[in-house]
């Protein structure tokens, strides 16, 4: 567990790292910066500031090993590098800090040599010790990082060969692991090994080797970046400065990117109703379908949600077609599996929750549940808030008295982290932030030490323990066809149990000004990726 340190020690650290302090990075980590104008459009011509609008908060964890924050993850792809990184859409791997991909993906030892001249934003060189530092944290079962679930089953250890060379030692051949290496962002040991540094990382301290360095971080407002002059990697920065605004309110987000006085060039999470209007204004608006979903998560220690019939009943009760028509304006599909229909491994689960109020009532009767009262703890992401009235109306219609309690995303997850009691959580999720392969997507939410499984209080259930064993067997299976079938069997269990399960998968919309930006693509998960974008 990470413990904080007294203020004097932190002040000494600031003195020792004056280069970072001058950039405002460490000021942000200690929450000491005052609010700055979010209209930072300084410069002109190619030196002008690129302004992006993100529909998610920037006040979640920024620790790359620990975060699932849409804003932080998108930003970290610009600040940090892995040994290998991936294309944001196709997820094709390419060497980032490493000089080459493994010659034999099925080997059980992958050797990587670091890129000559690679340096962190404070001027210190990237070394093998930094690589080991991050992988040791990820593989430490006591740390319980988010990304640890994507490595622990197949990666045994990382060994230092020399100052610029490391070996990744696998438990068994696992070619899918190459793309996952982008999730292990290499962080400077000399910065993050000090006492209290992981707490600072959560609050926004970001020091990487990527093409952009963080210059200021203002939670609930904006985060700024500038091109890292010493970057010599495969994705050189195209913008001198960037200013990313966090605007959760949909109307304010649209206003910032539209009209004659538009203050941004690109925005994610565009409300469906505004798409035609923005297109008429000359903006390019594109959608991408993937794992983005509204899910329900039940507290299985809070009766009657320990009964699978109750969880199933509440899913059968939801009128998903109406939700898609009214809230999503047709840009969604009912969840027929944990995987979205665009995923190559998708097939309908054996349990599909079509709208069936009669079946929902019958399941509640069979469970001996009458006059159920439910409070839905929900995130305030705009499109999720739009979907909530359909959940309430559907549950009220089967005699379940429903109260909606939407609040800031960070508030919801603070309650979950503090292990407070709750009944049902409704939130947005998108494992595509981490990757596309179904084993990874399943492990994002399910596993014996998984954060989400912990939130649901389900890890000790007999069905859960059997599921986790089957997941491990599927991961080890060398035959691709057999592996896929085994994972689909696991997905059937997840569907039947409905502990954490999607209600709908929806399309995400991104808008940008094609008169100013080129090389931009819509991605099927929140945030933006500007590593291949540039000014027109």
């Amino acid at each position: 567990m990470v413990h904080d340190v007294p203020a004097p020690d932190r002040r000494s650290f600031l003195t020792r790292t004056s280069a970072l302090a001058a950039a405002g990075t460490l000021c942000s980590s200690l929450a000491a910066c005052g609010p700055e104008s979010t209209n930072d459009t300084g410069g002109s011509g190619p030196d002008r500031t690129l302004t992006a609008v993100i529909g998610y908060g920037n006040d979640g964890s920024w620790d790359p090993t620990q975060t699932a924050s849409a804003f932080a993850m998108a930003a970290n792809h610009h600040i940090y590098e892995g040994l290998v990184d991936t294309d944001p859409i196709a997820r094709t791997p390419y060497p980032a800090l490493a000089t080459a991909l493994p010659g034999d993906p099925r080997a059980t030892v992958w050797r990587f040599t670091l890129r000559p001249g690679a340096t962190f934003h404070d001027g210190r060189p990237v070394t093998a010790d930094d690589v080991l530092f991050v992988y040791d944290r990820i593989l430490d079962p006591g740390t319980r990082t988010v990304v640890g679930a994507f490595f622990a089953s197949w990666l045994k250890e990382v060994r230092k060969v020399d100052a610029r060379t490391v070996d990744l030692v696998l438990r068994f051949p696992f070619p899918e692991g190459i793309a996952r290496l982008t999730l292990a962002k290499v962080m400077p040991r000399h910065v993050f090994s000090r006492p209290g540094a992981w707490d600072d990382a959560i609050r926004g301290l970001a020091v990487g080797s990527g093409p952009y360095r963080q210059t200021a971080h203002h939670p609930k407002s904006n985060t700024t970046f500038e091109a890292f002059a010493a970057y010599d990697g495969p994705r050189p920065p195209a913008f001198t400065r960037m200013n990313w605004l966090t605007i959760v309110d949909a109307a304010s987000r649209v206003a910032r990117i539209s009209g004659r006085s538009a203050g941004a060039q690109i925005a994610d999470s565009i409300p469906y109703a505004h798409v035609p209007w923005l297109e008429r204004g000359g903006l390019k608006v594109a959608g991408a379908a993937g794992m983005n979903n509204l899910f329900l998560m039940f507290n299985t220690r809070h009766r009657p949600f320990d009964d699978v019939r109750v969880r199933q009943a509440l899913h059968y009760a939801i009128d998903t077609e109406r939700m898609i028509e009214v809230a999503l304006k047709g840009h969604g599909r009912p969840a027929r599996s944990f995987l979205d229909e665009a995923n190559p491994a998708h097939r309908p689960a054996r349990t599909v929750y079509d709208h069936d109020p009669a079946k929902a009532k019958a399941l509640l009767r069979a469970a001996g549940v009458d006059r159920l009262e439910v409070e839905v703890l929900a995130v305030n992401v705009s499109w999720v808030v739009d979907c909530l009235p359909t959940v309430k109306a559907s549950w009220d219609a089967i005699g379940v008295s429903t109260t909606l309690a939407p609040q800031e995303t960070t508030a919801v997850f603070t309650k979950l982290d503090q292990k407070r009691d709750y009944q049902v959580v409704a939130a947005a999720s998108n494992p595509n932030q981490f990757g596309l392969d179904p084993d990874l997507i399943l492990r994002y939410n399910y596993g014996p030490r998984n954060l989400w499984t912990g939130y649901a209080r389900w890890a000790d259930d007999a069905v859960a323990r059997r599921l986790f064993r089957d997941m491990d067997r599927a991961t080890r299976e060398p035959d691709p066809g057999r592996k896929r079938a085994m994972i689909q069997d696991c997905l059937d269990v997840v569907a039947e149990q409905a502990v954490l399960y999607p209600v709908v998968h929806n399309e995400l919309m991104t808008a940008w000004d094609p008169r100013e930006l080129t090389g931009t693509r819509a991605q099927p998960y929140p945030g933006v990726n500007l590593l291949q974008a540039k000014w027109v």
Side-chain angles (χ1 to χ4, degrees), residues 172-442:
F172 48 85
F174 192 66
E176 299 96 323
I178 296 174
R180 296 191 190 184
L181 300 183
T182 187
L183 303 176
K185 298 301 187 187
V186 177
M187 306 169 73
R189 182 176 180 271
H190 64 274
V191 172
F192 291 99
S193 62
R194 67 181 179 85
W198 290 114
D199 290 338
D200 288 343
I202 290 171
R203 291 192 288 267
L205 173 62
V207 184
S209 62
Y212 295 94
R213 68 186 188 96
Q214 185 197 76
T215 52
H217 175 59
H218 305 279
K220 303 185 186 299
S221 172
N222 66 311
T223 303
T224 61
F225 314 82
E226 70 178 21
F228 178 40
Y231 180 75
D232 63 350
R235 296 288 186 269
F239 307 105
T240 303
R241 288 177 299 277
M242 297 194 298
N243 183 26
W244 288 21
L245 314 178
T246 169
I247 304 180
V248 176
D249 178 71
S252 300
R253 193 162 58 251
V254 170
R256 184 54 67 103
I257 197 175
S258 58
R260 294 180 180 176
S261 58
Q265 292 81 37
I266 185 169
D268 79 336
S269 195
I270 296 298
Y272 306 114
H274 289 81
V275 171
W277 182 72
L278 291 174
E279 289 178 332
R280 287 194 297 270
L283 296 184
K284 170 70 174 179
V285 185
M291 267 296 293
N292 205 67
N293 67 86
L294 165 67
F295 69 85
L296 298 179
M297 179 173 66
F298 295 92
N299 180 354
T300 60
R301 297 276 177 87
H302 190 124
R303 293 184 179 181
F305 307 111
D306 58 332
D307 192 319
V308 64
R309 294 169 295 186
V310 175
R311 303 192 297 265
Q312 290 180 338
L314 293 177
H315 271 280
Y316 278 119
I318 297 175
D319 189 345
T320 51
E321 293 291 351
R322 177 168 178 76
M323 180 183 288
I324 291 166
E325 176 187 358
V326 174
L328 304 180
K329 309 301 181 188
H331 292 273
R333 293 186 177 183
R336 300 180 62 80
S337 166
F338 192 75
L339 297 180
D340 64 285
E341 294 184 29
N343 191 294
H346 170 85
R347 70 156 167 75
R350 293 195 180 98
T351 305
V352 175
Y353 295 102
D354 295 320
H355 183 218
D356 193 338
K359 187 168 188 175
K361 291 178 181 178
L363 283 166
L364 290 176
R365 286 195 300 270
V369 174
D370 187 30
R371 299 179 181 176
L372 179 59
E373 296 181 0
V374 177
E375 180 183 78
V376 182
L377 179 63
V379 300
N380 68 341
V381 174
S382 57
W383 69 267
V384 172
V385 173
D386 291 342
C387 290
L388 293 177
T390 302
V391 175
K392 175 175 169 56
S394 299
W395 289 357
D396 287 347
I398 63 167
V400 175
S401 179
T402 309
T403 302
L404 303 176
Q407 48 201 269
E408 288 191 354
T409 300
T410 50
V412 172
F413 287 98
T414 295
K415 291 178 180 178
L416 294 174
D417 289 334
Q418 293 174 347
K419 303 188 186 305
R420 296 191 200 177
D421 189 36
Y422 73 93
Q423 292 177 291
V424 185
V425 163
S429 178
N430 197 326
N432 287 159
Q433 293 180 110
F434 299 95
L436 293 177
D437 78 79
D439 178 273
L440 178 150
I441 289 172
L442 185 57

Side-chain angles (χ1 to χ4, degrees), residues 39-304:
N39 292 308
D40 176 16
T41 55
S44 61
D47 290 332
R48 66 193 185 277
T49 298
L50 181 283
T51 302
V53 180
I54 310 297
Y56 300 82
N58 73 339
D59 57 346
S61 173
W62 280 65
D63 173 359
T65 72
Q66 197 66 291
T67 191
S69 160
F71 192 113
M73 287 195 68
N76 282 342
H77 284 307
H78 298 73
I79 296 170
Y80 293 98
E81 299 176 282
L83 291 170
V84 170
D85 282 328
T86 60
D87 178 85
I89 310 300
R91 296 307 175 94
T92 307
Y94 63 87
L97 271 173
T99 56
L101 299 177
D104 180 6
R106 298 198 61 82
T108 55
V109 177
W110 294 337
R111 176 159 292 186
F112 292 101
T113 299
L114 295 175
R115 186 178 73 234
T119 59
F120 289 113
H121 297 157
D122 61 357
R124 297 273 290 270
V126 181
T127 70
D129 290 331
D130 300 305
V131 178
L132 264 63
F133 170 68
V134 169
Y135 276 95
D136 285 349
R137 174 174 169 80
I138 290 171
L139 295 176
D140 180 0
T143 307
R144 299 183 65 147
T145 60
V146 169
V147 299
F150 307 137
F151 290 90
S153 61
W154 59 273
L155 183 59
K156 181 180 179 182
E157 62 179 327
V158 179
R159 297 173 182 166
K160 177 179 177 179
V161 178
D162 58 39
R164 292 181 49 247
T165 308
V166 296
D167 282 345
L168 272 61
V169 182
L170 282 61
R171 300 181 188 277
F172 48 85
F174 192 66
E176 299 96 323
I178 296 174
R180 296 191 190 184
L181 300 183
T182 187
L183 303 176
K185 298 301 187 187
V186 177
M187 306 169 73
R189 182 176 180 271
H190 64 274
V191 172
F192 291 99
S193 62
R194 67 181 179 85
W198 290 114
D199 290 338
D200 288 343
I202 290 171
R203 291 192 288 267
L205 173 62
V207 184
S209 62
Y212 295 94
R213 68 186 188 96
Q214 185 197 76
T215 52
H217 175 59
H218 305 279
K220 303 185 186 299
S221 172
N222 66 311
T223 303
T224 61
F225 314 82
E226 70 178 21
F228 178 40
Y231 180 75
D232 63 350
R235 296 288 186 269
F239 307 105
T240 303
R241 288 177 299 277
M242 297 194 298
N243 183 26
W244 288 21
L245 314 178
T246 169
I247 304 180
V248 176
D249 178 71
S252 300
R253 193 162 58 251
V254 170
R256 184 54 67 103
I257 197 175
S258 58
R260 294 180 180 176
S261 58
Q265 292 81 37
I266 185 169
D268 79 336
S269 195
I270 296 298
Y272 306 114
H274 289 81
V275 171
W277 182 72
L278 291 174
E279 289 178 332
R280 287 194 297 270
L283 296 184
K284 170 70 174 179
V285 185
M291 267 296 293
N292 205 67
N293 67 86
L294 165 67
F295 69 85
L296 298 179
M297 179 173 66
F298 295 92
N299 180 354
T300 60
R301 297 276 177 87
H302 190 124
R303 293 184 179 181

Side-chain angles (χ1 to χ4, degrees), residues 456-478:
R457 279 79 152 167
W458 195 59
D460 294 330
D461 187 274
V463 176
R465 292 197 298 269
R466 185 165 60 251
L467 170 67
F468 303 151
R469 290 194 296 269
D470 289 344
M471 287 168 55
D472 285 341
R473 282 194 285 268
T475 301
R476 289 177 172 271
E477 174 57 46

